[in-house]
């Protein structure tokens, strides 16, 4: 998989004339060179349903007069650029209007994506209809006729559908369509049948050709879905609503799966389908570097003008980022993450039989946990229940991880080797939620009487004097056991906010009476009695972060990496085993919110004298900056390498050569 990819959207209405009339082989190549692009995903079929090449199983765009796909592949290959080919799988507006009975339907018979045909927009197909065979023929034709370097199929996944094909199918199986469990099983089988058909259509012609089925989200805990793909493309456009926390969460999970993956952002100011919108070059530089720091290759989304003319401003912008990526690739190939902490994803646990279902309360747990780990500069992976825990020092159970037999047995082996657990909220409880299955020094009594409630720690927070700190998320009432040590107490409010019992503008103050431990340590680790990670994701309270950081530092007596990088900085450690070296990545940028839901990076301020200490187990021969190859003074004493980076901005790699 190449490092510098462009995903060239080309969703083009039949109401536009002159499709591809301005395409020039030379100009196309010049733009790829300007952008330092080494792979570009080009279009066979778009969301409107048109082919951009002659076809026996589809219809070429009515205003296209030549084989645009073939011309793009030829032009790219001539200069050594790969060409994966895109087909819109879930959307095909041309066929949607001809066969509306093939579309996904809600229980109320509304269509998906766009509710009706009098509103502009696309409509999504059910793969339990004859459409799946039409699509397979389209895929097969592309692989047979073109020298594609991969196939990208878009807008697919396990989908809820009550179309008449699904209703008939479930009744043929002897089930009622009102049986949710039976329907869910059929929807799963529908997706696996679709993916199998498409993979067979590709690999029967070209065995091993890369195939990716894009649902815009790689579900944590669903390795069966992951392995329907040959690789992963993690769609995460920060300015398109994903935000800058989203990609690290996806990538820290993907790197544990043993498959190649890339991070997909966009050149757009907002998101897909935006013409004339441009991200600041510094933002794209940072986003590409964030991919590298998390072990990923890079992909940047663009949208080709209907004329086929490649936008020079776009490729100058992309070139700003990819020029730097090209210089850094040597230190990013074959890298694996070095991590102290494993964050067991709530989403992943919910995917397992017996796991807690994702709901409005616990859906924030993974996000809040990753945000704290990034800001605390911890080395971590995001894992599912199938992960090997032996390489980690601490496992975090965020907010709502109940102890299924699989989780319980894995943690028992981990704890027997000296590992520790940090659990919050309901995590660590039995599947029925009535008792702790881990020895965290507490006994579960029930849900806290008031929400919010308060935590008064027995330790000082770095930024604040000791006080009773509000925690907005649900708390648990626990009692200390003989094995437990209290690290602070929980306090209830005087009462919950209600019609006849409310106080001031938001919530009632603490009654300042101890209501049992709010945080405790036992033989297996530390327990905090609130959904702390949900709270941080939603409220972003500084005390909540510092409480978690205190707990982690207490459990991680031998923290592998320490730095004075500001909270907004990101740091990772990647091992290049084949080259016998570690690569320390440091990134820094300060996104600001502009508009209603757009995070923008504009200024990249330099950082001075960034201090780093890394625990290593073998002698280090040299430390240098990459890609500059400038030596960096260092010391190594008592198994710790120390160095200071005098001045840097955006992204800096430090190489520790053993």
């Amino acid at each position: 998989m190449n490092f510098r990819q462009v995903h060239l959207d080309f969703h083009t209405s039949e109401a536009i004339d002159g499709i591809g009339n301005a395409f020039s082989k030379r100009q196309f190549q010049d733009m790829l060179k300007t952008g330092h692009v080494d792979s570009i995903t080009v279009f066979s079929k778009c969301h409107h349903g048109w082919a951009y090449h002659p076809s026996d199983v589809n219809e070429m765009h009515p205003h296209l007069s030549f084989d645009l796909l073939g011309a793009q592949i030829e032009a790219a290959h001539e200069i050594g650029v790969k060409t994966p080919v895109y087909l819109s799988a879930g959307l095909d507006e041309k066929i949607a209007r001809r066969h509306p009975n093939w579309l996904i339907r809600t229980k109320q018979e509304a269509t998906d994506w766009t509710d009706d045909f009098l509103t502009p927009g696309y409509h999504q197909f059910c793969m339990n209809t004859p459409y799946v065979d039409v699509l397979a023929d389209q895929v097969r034709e592309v692989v047979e006729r073109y020298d594609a370097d991969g196939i990208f199929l878009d807008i697919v996944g396990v989908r809820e559908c009550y179309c008449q094909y699904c209703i008939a199918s479930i009744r043929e199986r002897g089930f009622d369509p009102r049986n949710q469990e039976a329907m869910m099983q059929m929807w799963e089988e529908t997706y696996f049948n679709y993916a199998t058909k498409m993979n067979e259509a590709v690999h029967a012609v070209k065995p091993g050709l890369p195939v990716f089925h894009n649902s815009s989200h790689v579900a944590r805990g669903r390795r069966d879905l992951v392995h329907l793909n040959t690789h992963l493309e993690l769609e995460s456009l920060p300015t398109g609503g994903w935000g800058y926390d989203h990609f690290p969460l996806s990538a820290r999970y993907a790197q544990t799966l043993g498959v190649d993956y890339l991070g997909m952002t966009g050149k757009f100011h907002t998101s897909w389908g935006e013409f004339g919108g441009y991200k600041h070059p510094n933002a794209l530089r940072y986003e590409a570097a964030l991919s590298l720091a998390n072990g990923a290759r890079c992909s940047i989304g663009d949208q080709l003008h209907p004329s086929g003319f490649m936008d020079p401003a776009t490729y100058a912008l992309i070139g700003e980022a990819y020029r730097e990526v090209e210089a850094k690739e040597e230190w990013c190939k074959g890298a694996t993450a070095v991590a102290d902490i494993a964050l067991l994803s709530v989403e992943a646990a919910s995917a397992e039989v017996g796991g807690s279902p994702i709901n409005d309360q616990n859906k924030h747990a993974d996000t809040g946990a990753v945000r704290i780990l990034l800001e605390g500069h911890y080395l971590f992976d995001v894992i599912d229940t199938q992960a090997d825990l032996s390489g980690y020092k601490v496992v975090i159970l965020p907010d709502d991880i109940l102890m299924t037999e699989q989780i319980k047995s894995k943690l028992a082996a981990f704890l027997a080797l000296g590992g520790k657990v940090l659990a919050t909220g309901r995590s660590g409880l039995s599947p029925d939620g009535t008792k702790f299955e881990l020895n965290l020094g507490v006994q579960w009594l029930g849900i806290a009487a008031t929400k919010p409630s308060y935590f008064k720690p027995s330790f000082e927070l770095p930024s604040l004097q000791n006080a009773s700190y509000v925690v907005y998320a649900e708390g648990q009432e626990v009692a200390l056991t003989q094995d437990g040590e209290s690290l602070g107490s929980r306090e209830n409010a005087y009462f919950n906010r209600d019609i006849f019992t409310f106080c001031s503008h938001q919530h009632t103050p603490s009654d300042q009476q101890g209501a049992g431990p709010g945080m405790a340590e036992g033989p297996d680790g530390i327990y905090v009695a609130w959904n702390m990670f949900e709270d941080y994701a939603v409220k972003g309270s500084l005390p909540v972060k510092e409480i978690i950081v205190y707990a982690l530092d207490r459990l991680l007596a031998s923290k592998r990496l320490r730095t004075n990088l500001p909270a907004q900085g990101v740091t990772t450690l990647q091992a290049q085993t084949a080259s016998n070296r570690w690569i320390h990545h440091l990134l820094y940028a300060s996104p600001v919110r502009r508009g209603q839901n757009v995070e923008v990076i504009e200024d990249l301020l330099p950082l001075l004298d960034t201090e780093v200490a890394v625990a290593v187990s073998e002698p280090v021969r040299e430390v240098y900056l990459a890609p500059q190859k400038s030596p960096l003074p260092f010391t190594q004493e008592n198994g710790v390498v120390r160095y200071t980076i005098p001045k840097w901005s955006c992204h800096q790699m430090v190489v520790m050569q053993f």
Side-chain angles (χ1 to χ4, degrees):
M1 178 181 286
N2 288 5
F3 272 88
R4 291 167 277 120
Q5 181 163 299
V6 162
H7 186 96
L8 189 64
D9 259 15
F10 196 52
H11 304 293
T12 309
S13 169
E14 63 276 8
I16 298 176
D17 292 329
I19 303 303
N21 284 359
F23 174 81
S24 158
K25 177 180 179 180
R26 176 66 179 274
Q27 197 262 347
F28 186 78
Q29 292 174 333
D30 285 347
M31 290 302 98
L32 296 182
K33 293 175 183 177
T34 297
H36 292 255
V37 175
D38 62 10
S39 178
I40 184 164
T41 301
V42 288
F43 267 43
S44 164
K45 183 184 93 166
C46 72
H47 290 342
H48 293 275
W50 303 110
Y52 295 96
H53 55 89
S55 174
D56 294 333
V57 295
N58 196 2
E59 298 167 52
M60 194 160 79
H61 194 290
H63 302 301
L64 176 66
S65 61
F66 69 102
D67 185 349
L68 177 59
L69 175 64
Q72 290 173 325
I73 291 174
E74 178 184 342
H77 283 179
E78 195 173 277
I79 59 171
V81 176
K82 289 186 176 181
T83 54
V85 174
Y86 174 105
L87 293 96
S88 178
L91 307 177
D92 185 320
E93 198 60 15
K94 169 170 54 66
I95 294 181
R97 291 182 176 272
R98 297 173 184 175
H99 295 281
N101 57 320
W102 292 356
L103 297 174
I104 287 175
R105 298 282 175 168
T106 67
K107 290 180 179 179
Q108 294 75 34
E109 280 295 310
T111 52
D112 191 43
W113 272 53
T114 307
D115 287 344
D116 54 56
F117 283 95
L118 295 178
T119 304
Y122 303 116
H123 302 81
Q124 188 171 193
F125 279 86
C126 175
M127 297 299 178
N128 192 24
T129 70
Y131 173 74
V132 72
D133 295 313
V134 172
L135 180 62
D137 289 340
Q138 294 171 348
V139 170
R140 188 177 300 107
E141 181 182 71
V142 169
V143 180
E144 288 174 344
R145 295 187 179 183
Y146 293 95
D147 187 15
D149 293 304
I151 295 294
F152 186 106
L153 295 161
D154 203 10
I155 320 296
V156 290
V158 179
R159 303 291 195 247
E160 182 176 305
C161 181
Y162 290 89
C163 74
Q164 291 308 307
Y165 286 91
C166 286
I167 298 297
S169 292
I170 203 69
R171 295 193 69 198
E172 286 173 6
R173 298 179 182 205
F175 293 102
D176 190 304
R178 290 165 291 192
N179 183 329
Q180 182 76 4
E181 186 175 340
M183 293 296 285
M184 289 177 66
Q185 178 63 34
M186 184 183 68
W187 297 329
E188 290 268 342
E189 292 175 11
T190 295
Y191 179 66
F192 276 85
N193 176 64
Y194 144 80
T196 300
K197 277 181 179 281
M198 300 309 128
N199 291 345
E200 289 175 350
V202 172
H203 295 144
V205 181
K206 291 185 178 178
L209 191 70
V211 181
F212 178 64
H213 307 273
N214 185 43
S215 64
S216 84
H217 175 65
V218 175
R220 295 182 289 280
R222 294 300 307 270
R223 294 194 181 198
D224 54 342
L225 298 180
V226 166
H227 292 299
L228 292 171
N229 306 283
T230 58
H231 66 286
L232 299 176
E233 304 197 19
L234 308 180
E235 187 176 356
S236 184
L237 281 63
T239 54
W242 280 264
Y244 279 94
D245 290 337
H246 178 268
F247 176 72
L249 172 54
S250 294
R252 301 317 304 149
Y253 176 63
Q255 196 164 14
T256 69
L257 300 177
V259 297
D260 288 336
Y261 61 102
L262 57 80
M264 179 189 288
T265 184
K267 70 95 179 181
F268 315 104
H269 171 62
T270 57
S271 193
W272 300 107
E274 179 185 53
F275 293 98
Y278 299 91
K279 185 170 289 177
H280 194 285
N282 283 343
L284 212 51
R285 289 174 58 209
Y286 177 83
E287 290 160 22
L290 191 63
S291 283
L292 298 181
N294 285 281
R297 270 63 166 172
C298 308
S299 177
I300 298 173
D302 179 28
Q303 179 142 339
L304 183 64
H305 189 273
S307 70
F309 184 78
M310 297 278 276
D311 179 33
T314 292
Y315 288 87
L317 172 63
I318 291 173
E320 290 279 329
Y322 276 175
R323 183 183 300 109
E324 295 182 7
V325 171
E326 187 173 15
K328 297 170 181 175
E329 290 176 14
E330 177 184 342
W331 294 275
C332 301
K333 296 174 181 176
T336 57
V338 178
D340 292 327
I341 296 171
L343 169 66
L344 179 54
S345 162
V346 171
E347 181 184 64
S350 74
E352 303 295 334
V353 175
S356 303
I358 291 293
N359 54 47
D360 288 341
Q361 177 174 290
N362 63 25
K363 69 181 181 182
H364 300 291
D366 291 350
T367 299
V370 166
R371 190 171 296 166
I372 289 176
L373 290 169
L374 288 172
E375 293 177 3
H377 306 136
Y378 293 98
L379 301 176
F380 69 97
D381 289 333
V382 177
I383 64 165
D384 57 28
T385 59
Q386 300 175 55
D388 178 7
L389 303 181
S390 60
Y392 302 108
K393 300 173 184 176
V394 173
V395 172
I396 298 177
L397 306 179
D399 295 357
D400 201 21
I401 305 289
L402 301 181
M403 292 297 98
T404 63
E405 285 303 316
Q406 181 181 12
I407 295 173
K408 187 176 176 180
S409 63
K410 273 188 170 287
L411 287 176
F414 170 72
L415 292 165
L417 293 174
K420 295 292 183 180
V421 166
L422 171 61
T424 60
R426 298 177 69 241
S427 289
L429 291 174
S430 57
D432 63 3
T434 60
K435 63 178 181 177
F436 282 107
E437 298 283 4
L438 297 170
N439 191 347
L440 298 169
V442 288
Q443 175 187 357
W444 187 79
L445 300 177
I447 298 173
T450 66
K451 181 181 177 183
S453 54
Y454 297 80
F455 178 54
K456 188 166 187 177
S458 58
F459 52 89
E460 291 283 343
L461 299 188
S463 302
L464 299 162
Q465 292 187 352
N466 203 3
S468 296
Y469 303 107
V470 65
V471 185
Y472 294 93
E474 179 184 275
Q476 305 295 319
E477 184 178 351
V478 296
L480 204 64
T481 66
Q482 62 180 8
D483 293 326
E485 176 187 353
S486 175
L487 300 176
S489 60
R490 186 179 58 79
E491 299 173 356
N492 286 321
Y494 283 104
F495 40 72
N496 283 316
R497 192 174 180 87
D498 202 351
I499 184 171
F500 298 119
T501 54
F502 69 91
C503 180
S504 192
H505 299 292
Q506 290 195 54
H507 52 260
T508 311
S510 168
D511 63 11
Q512 299 186 330
Q513 302 297 311
M519 182 174 179
E521 185 168 15
D524 291 345
I526 291 176
Y527 174 74
V528 189
W530 290 267
N531 292 344
M532 299 291 275
F533 298 112
E534 173 203 350
D535 195 275
Y536 197 66
V538 175
K539 297 293 187 180
S541 168
L542 177 61
V544 166
K545 177 173 73 171
E546 293 193 343
I547 290 161
I548 294 296
V549 166
Y550 173 84
L552 287 172
D553 287 349
R554 189 176 174 101
L555 295 173
L556 271 176
S558 56
K559 187 177 180 183
R560 197 182 317 244
L561 188 149
R562 299 180 187 273
T563 178
N564 65 347
L565 192 65
Q568 199 64 42
V570 172
T571 190
T572 67
L573 198 58
Q574 300 282 334
Q576 277 189 308
T577 305
S579 300
N580 197 28
R581 63 194 182 196
W582 281 359
I583 316 300
H584 178 206
H585 293 262
L586 304 97
L587 298 99
Y588 183 75
S590 295
V592 296
R593 187 171 294 277
R594 300 240 178 102
Q596 292 183 330
N597 192 30
V598 179
E599 291 186 13
V600 172
I601 290 175
E602 185 171 348
D603 299 315
L604 291 173
L605 301 179
L607 270 66
L608 303 177
D609 297 329
T610 304
E611 299 172 1
V612 180
V614 183
V616 297
S617 58
E618 56 184 296
V620 170
R621 189 183 74 209
E622 62 177 328
V623 176
Y624 63 91
L625 302 176
Q628 303 96 316
K629 297 186 178 179
S630 304
L632 192 64
F634 72 98
T635 63
Q636 183 170 9
E637 188 176 358
N638 299 323
V640 177
V641 171
R642 299 181 188 275
Y643 50 84
T644 299
I645 309 170
K647 183 178 180 180
W648 63 281
S649 69
C650 188
H651 178 221
Q652 181 62 65
M653 297 186 295
V654 179
V655 182
M656 284 168 279
Q657 183 69 56
F658 297 112

